[in-house]
Amino acid sequence: MFNSYKCFFWDSKFNTLRPVKKVNRINIECLIGIDSAKKNLMENTKHFARGLSANNVLLWGSRGMGKSSLVKAVHFEVNNNINPNLYLIEIEKNDLSTIPLLLANLEDDSKRFIIFCDDLSFENTNDNYKSLKTILEGGLEEKPSNVLFYATSNRRHLIPKSLIDDDTYDSINSKENIDEKISLSDRFGIWIGFHKCTHDDYKEMVLNYAKQFNIHFLKDEFLYEATQWSINRGSRSGRVAWQFILNYCAQK
């Protein structure tokens, strides 16, 4: 399978890797307004692909600003241009407890693997975070050198802010539990923040999409419609810009 596919989904039910035959991915040039994030993630991924030291990465921040899209786009670029034996494996957050079983499938040192968890977060009753220590820092057994962990989250500390600020958690055990979860994010060597885009960034996004897909338009009318779309949605982001483009093309 590794000869035919570059992206996989971890199927914890059968403890196997399922190849992704058609990856949901966009061109890295379409990701606008996150140049610093692109540079940092690309540099870290290139280091890893070349067998150099690299960090686990937490991409956190505003919804729809391209966190997961960037992970997939960077993997594609590095796999094509640096190391064809770099693989991306997605794991559901509810399956984190099966990470040791997944790692048993990744013992080929000639290949390098990025394990990717999208929308990672933990509620107060969720203990899956403990399983991440295996891959972030290792336990008694050394963490595999050919494996990195990338995660996206809307939360910088991976747990709801209400749990951090809530004064009702006054028992020692509860506070220690919260502190342990907060400290998990500190185990990521690199944090990359994604923030809400400005109106100028949003306009650049829709114009860039139009250029990438060769869409013909009258600029003032096009940008007015894009602005109205974002107002109706109540937000501006790369995702909103993409949704506008889909709607615009369907109507034209």
Side-chain angles (χ1 to χ4, degrees), residues 93 121-127 129 155 158-160 162-163 177 181:
K93 65 180 180 181
S121 63
F122 302 106
E123 304 303 329
N124 192 42
T125 58
N126 193 323
D127 288 333
Y129 70 94
R155 304 164 179 168
L158 303 178
I159 66 172
S162 60
L163 290 183
N177 191 32
K181 290 179 180 179

PDB file of all heavy atoms in Angstrom, residues 93 121-127 129 155 158-160 162-163 177 181:
ATOM      1  N   LYS A  93      -9.680  11.682  17.147  1.00  0.00           N
ATOM      2  CA  LYS A  93      -9.272  11.954  18.531  1.00  0.00           C
ATOM      3  C   LYS A  93      -9.797  10.890  19.504  1.00  0.00           C
ATOM      4  O   LYS A  93      -9.160  10.631  20.531  1.00  0.00           O
ATOM      5  CB  LYS A  93      -9.733  13.346  18.966  1.00  0.00           C
ATOM      6  CG  LYS A  93     -11.228  13.546  19.038  1.00  0.00           C
ATOM      7  CD  LYS A  93     -11.555  14.970  19.473  1.00  0.00           C
ATOM      8  CE  LYS A  93     -13.049  15.205  19.546  1.00  0.00           C
ATOM      9  NZ  LYS A  93     -13.373  16.596  19.949  1.00  0.00           N
ATOM     10  N   SER A 121      -9.370  18.212  20.809  1.00  0.00           N
ATOM     11  CA  SER A 121      -9.747  18.903  22.042  1.00  0.00           C
ATOM     12  C   SER A 121     -10.202  17.856  23.045  1.00  0.00           C
ATOM     13  O   SER A 121     -10.554  16.737  22.671  1.00  0.00           O
ATOM     14  CB  SER A 121     -10.866  19.921  21.790  1.00  0.00           C
ATOM     15  OG  SER A 121     -12.042  19.270  21.339  1.00  0.00           O
ATOM     16  N   PHE A 122     -10.202  18.224  24.302  1.00  0.00           N
ATOM     17  CA  PHE A 122     -10.557  17.294  25.356  1.00  0.00           C
ATOM     18  C   PHE A 122     -11.553  17.929  26.315  1.00  0.00           C
ATOM     19  O   PHE A 122     -11.348  19.053  26.772  1.00  0.00           O
ATOM     20  CB  PHE A 122      -9.315  16.859  26.135  1.00  0.00           C
ATOM     21  CG  PHE A 122      -8.264  16.214  25.282  1.00  0.00           C
ATOM     22  CD1 PHE A 122      -7.105  16.899  24.948  1.00  0.00           C
ATOM     23  CD2 PHE A 122      -8.443  14.937  24.800  1.00  0.00           C
ATOM     24  CE1 PHE A 122      -6.138  16.312  24.157  1.00  0.00           C
ATOM     25  CE2 PHE A 122      -7.480  14.337  24.004  1.00  0.00           C
ATOM     26  CZ  PHE A 122      -6.333  15.020  23.679  1.00  0.00           C
ATOM     27  N   GLU A 123     -12.608  17.203  26.607  1.00  0.00           N
ATOM     28  CA  GLU A 123     -13.547  17.635  27.637  1.00  0.00           C
ATOM     29  C   GLU A 123     -13.071  17.094  28.982  1.00  0.00           C
ATOM     30  O   GLU A 123     -12.140  16.308  29.067  1.00  0.00           O
ATOM     31  CB  GLU A 123     -14.959  17.124  27.308  1.00  0.00           C
ATOM     32  CG  GLU A 123     -15.458  17.553  25.928  1.00  0.00           C
ATOM     33  CD  GLU A 123     -15.465  19.052  25.740  1.00  0.00           C
ATOM     34  OE1 GLU A 123     -15.675  19.784  26.737  1.00  0.00           O
ATOM     35  OE2 GLU A 123     -15.256  19.521  24.609  1.00  0.00           O
ATOM     36  N   ASN A 124     -13.719  17.508  30.033  1.00  0.00           N
ATOM     37  CA  ASN A 124     -13.252  17.152  31.372  1.00  0.00           C
ATOM     38  C   ASN A 124     -13.266  15.648  31.626  1.00  0.00           C
ATOM     39  O   ASN A 124     -12.489  15.136  32.417  1.00  0.00           O
ATOM     40  CB  ASN A 124     -14.114  17.849  32.426  1.00  0.00           C
ATOM     41  CG  ASN A 124     -13.501  17.763  33.818  1.00  0.00           C
ATOM     42  OD1 ASN A 124     -12.297  17.936  33.971  1.00  0.00           O
ATOM     43  ND2 ASN A 124     -14.319  17.484  34.814  1.00  0.00           N
ATOM     44  N   THR A 125     -14.171  14.955  30.932  1.00  0.00           N
ATOM     45  CA  THR A 125     -14.310  13.518  31.178  1.00  0.00           C
ATOM     46  C   THR A 125     -13.498  12.667  30.204  1.00  0.00           C
ATOM     47  O   THR A 125     -13.579  11.455  30.232  1.00  0.00           O
ATOM     48  CB  THR A 125     -15.789  13.105  31.065  1.00  0.00           C
ATOM     49  OG1 THR A 125     -16.274  13.464  29.765  1.00  0.00           O
ATOM     50  CG2 THR A 125     -16.620  13.815  32.118  1.00  0.00           C
ATOM     51  N   ASN A 126     -12.741  13.322  29.342  1.00  0.00           N
ATOM     52  CA  ASN A 126     -12.018  12.605  28.296  1.00  0.00           C
ATOM     53  C   ASN A 126     -10.577  12.354  28.730  1.00  0.00           C
ATOM     54  O   ASN A 126      -9.814  13.287  28.956  1.00  0.00           O
ATOM     55  CB  ASN A 126     -12.044  13.431  27.003  1.00  0.00           C
ATOM     56  CG  ASN A 126     -11.598  12.616  25.813  1.00  0.00           C
ATOM     57  OD1 ASN A 126     -10.701  11.790  25.910  1.00  0.00           O
ATOM     58  ND2 ASN A 126     -12.210  12.851  24.674  1.00  0.00           N
ATOM     59  N   ASP A 127     -10.194  11.097  28.821  1.00  0.00           N
ATOM     60  CA  ASP A 127      -8.844  10.745  29.259  1.00  0.00           C
ATOM     61  C   ASP A 127      -7.935  10.325  28.111  1.00  0.00           C
ATOM     62  O   ASP A 127      -6.820   9.854  28.348  1.00  0.00           O
ATOM     63  CB  ASP A 127      -8.897   9.611  30.288  1.00  0.00           C
ATOM     64  CG  ASP A 127      -9.439  10.093  31.628  1.00  0.00           C
ATOM     65  OD1 ASP A 127      -9.290  11.288  31.917  1.00  0.00           O
ATOM     66  OD2 ASP A 127     -10.018   9.276  32.364  1.00  0.00           O
ATOM     67  N   TYR A 129      -6.250  12.073  26.321  1.00  0.00           N
ATOM     68  CA  TYR A 129      -5.042  12.901  26.259  1.00  0.00           C
ATOM     69  C   TYR A 129      -3.830  12.168  26.821  1.00  0.00           C
ATOM     70  O   TYR A 129      -2.695  12.427  26.432  1.00  0.00           O
ATOM     71  CB  TYR A 129      -5.263  14.217  27.010  1.00  0.00           C
ATOM     72  CG  TYR A 129      -5.360  14.076  28.506  1.00  0.00           C
ATOM     73  CD1 TYR A 129      -4.241  14.233  29.309  1.00  0.00           C
ATOM     74  CD2 TYR A 129      -6.569  13.771  29.106  1.00  0.00           C
ATOM     75  CE1 TYR A 129      -4.336  14.093  30.685  1.00  0.00           C
ATOM     76  CE2 TYR A 129      -6.662  13.630  30.473  1.00  0.00           C
ATOM     77  CZ  TYR A 129      -5.545  13.796  31.265  1.00  0.00           C
ATOM     78  OH  TYR A 129      -5.633  13.653  32.616  1.00  0.00           O
ATOM     79  N   ARG A 155      -8.597  25.440  20.151  1.00  0.00           N
ATOM     80  CA  ARG A 155      -8.203  25.831  21.503  1.00  0.00           C
ATOM     81  C   ARG A 155      -6.695  25.711  21.681  1.00  0.00           C
ATOM     82  O   ARG A 155      -6.115  24.656  21.418  1.00  0.00           O
ATOM     83  CB  ARG A 155      -8.898  24.948  22.547  1.00  0.00           C
ATOM     84  CG  ARG A 155     -10.411  24.955  22.444  1.00  0.00           C
ATOM     85  CD  ARG A 155     -10.997  23.799  23.217  1.00  0.00           C
ATOM     86  NE  ARG A 155     -12.467  23.788  23.169  1.00  0.00           N
ATOM     87  CZ  ARG A 155     -13.212  22.774  23.568  1.00  0.00           C
ATOM     88  NH1 ARG A 155     -12.627  21.682  24.032  1.00  0.00           N
ATOM     89  NH2 ARG A 155     -14.525  22.846  23.512  1.00  0.00           N
ATOM     90  N   LEU A 158      -6.198  23.104  24.323  1.00  0.00           N
ATOM     91  CA  LEU A 158      -6.859  21.842  24.002  1.00  0.00           C
ATOM     92  C   LEU A 158      -8.069  21.511  24.873  1.00  0.00           C
ATOM     93  O   LEU A 158      -8.716  20.495  24.652  1.00  0.00           O
ATOM     94  CB  LEU A 158      -5.871  20.661  24.061  1.00  0.00           C
ATOM     95  CG  LEU A 158      -4.636  20.787  23.164  1.00  0.00           C
ATOM     96  CD1 LEU A 158      -3.718  19.584  23.352  1.00  0.00           C
ATOM     97  CD2 LEU A 158      -5.035  20.921  21.704  1.00  0.00           C
ATOM     98  N   ILE A 159      -8.365  22.325  25.876  1.00  0.00           N
ATOM     99  CA  ILE A 159      -9.554  22.114  26.695  1.00  0.00           C
ATOM    100  C   ILE A 159     -10.350  23.409  26.749  1.00  0.00           C
ATOM    101  O   ILE A 159      -9.814  24.493  26.501  1.00  0.00           O
ATOM    102  CB  ILE A 159      -9.206  21.655  28.137  1.00  0.00           C
ATOM    103  CG1 ILE A 159      -8.480  22.761  28.905  1.00  0.00           C
ATOM    104  CG2 ILE A 159      -8.409  20.381  28.120  1.00  0.00           C
ATOM    105  CD1 ILE A 159      -8.289  22.418  30.366  1.00  0.00           C
ATOM    106  N   PRO A 160     -11.660  23.368  27.035  1.00  0.00           N
ATOM    107  CA  PRO A 160     -12.481  24.580  27.076  1.00  0.00           C
ATOM    108  C   PRO A 160     -11.947  25.584  28.092  1.00  0.00           C
ATOM    109  O   PRO A 160     -11.532  25.216  29.195  1.00  0.00           O
ATOM    110  CB  PRO A 160     -13.863  24.061  27.483  1.00  0.00           C
ATOM    111  CG  PRO A 160     -13.852  22.614  27.153  1.00  0.00           C
ATOM    112  CD  PRO A 160     -12.439  22.159  27.330  1.00  0.00           C
ATOM    113  N   SER A 162     -13.597  27.498  29.806  1.00  0.00           N
ATOM    114  CA  SER A 162     -14.451  27.490  30.995  1.00  0.00           C
ATOM    115  C   SER A 162     -13.900  26.580  32.087  1.00  0.00           C
ATOM    116  O   SER A 162     -14.065  26.827  33.276  1.00  0.00           O
ATOM    117  CB  SER A 162     -15.871  27.053  30.625  1.00  0.00           C
ATOM    118  OG  SER A 162     -15.853  25.756  30.064  1.00  0.00           O
ATOM    119  N   LEU A 163     -13.223  25.499  31.670  1.00  0.00           N
ATOM    120  CA  LEU A 163     -12.640  24.589  32.660  1.00  0.00           C
ATOM    121  C   LEU A 163     -11.414  25.190  33.327  1.00  0.00           C
ATOM    122  O   LEU A 163     -11.099  24.887  34.471  1.00  0.00           O
ATOM    123  CB  LEU A 163     -12.275  23.257  32.009  1.00  0.00           C
ATOM    124  CG  LEU A 163     -13.441  22.369  31.580  1.00  0.00           C
ATOM    125  CD1 LEU A 163     -12.907  21.060  31.036  1.00  0.00           C
ATOM    126  CD2 LEU A 163     -14.381  22.111  32.742  1.00  0.00           C
ATOM    127  N   ASN A 177      -5.941  17.670  37.576  1.00  0.00           N
ATOM    128  CA  ASN A 177      -6.384  17.087  36.318  1.00  0.00           C
ATOM    129  C   ASN A 177      -6.364  18.123  35.209  1.00  0.00           C
ATOM    130  O   ASN A 177      -5.907  17.863  34.087  1.00  0.00           O
ATOM    131  CB  ASN A 177      -7.798  16.521  36.490  1.00  0.00           C
ATOM    132  CG  ASN A 177      -8.222  15.672  35.313  1.00  0.00           C
ATOM    133  OD1 ASN A 177      -7.399  15.021  34.690  1.00  0.00           O
ATOM    134  ND2 ASN A 177      -9.506  15.684  34.996  1.00  0.00           N
ATOM    135  N   LYS A 181      -3.865  18.491  31.753  1.00  0.00           N
ATOM    136  CA  LYS A 181      -4.349  18.644  30.384  1.00  0.00           C
ATOM    137  C   LYS A 181      -3.750  19.881  29.725  1.00  0.00           C
ATOM    138  O   LYS A 181      -3.396  19.865  28.543  1.00  0.00           O
ATOM    139  CB  LYS A 181      -5.874  18.721  30.380  1.00  0.00           C
ATOM    140  CG  LYS A 181      -6.541  17.402  30.728  1.00  0.00           C
ATOM    141  CD  LYS A 181      -8.045  17.529  30.738  1.00  0.00           C
ATOM    142  CE  LYS A 181      -8.704  16.193  31.083  1.00  0.00           C
ATOM    143  NZ  LYS A 181     -10.174  16.293  31.124  1.00  0.00           N
TER     144      LYS A 181
END
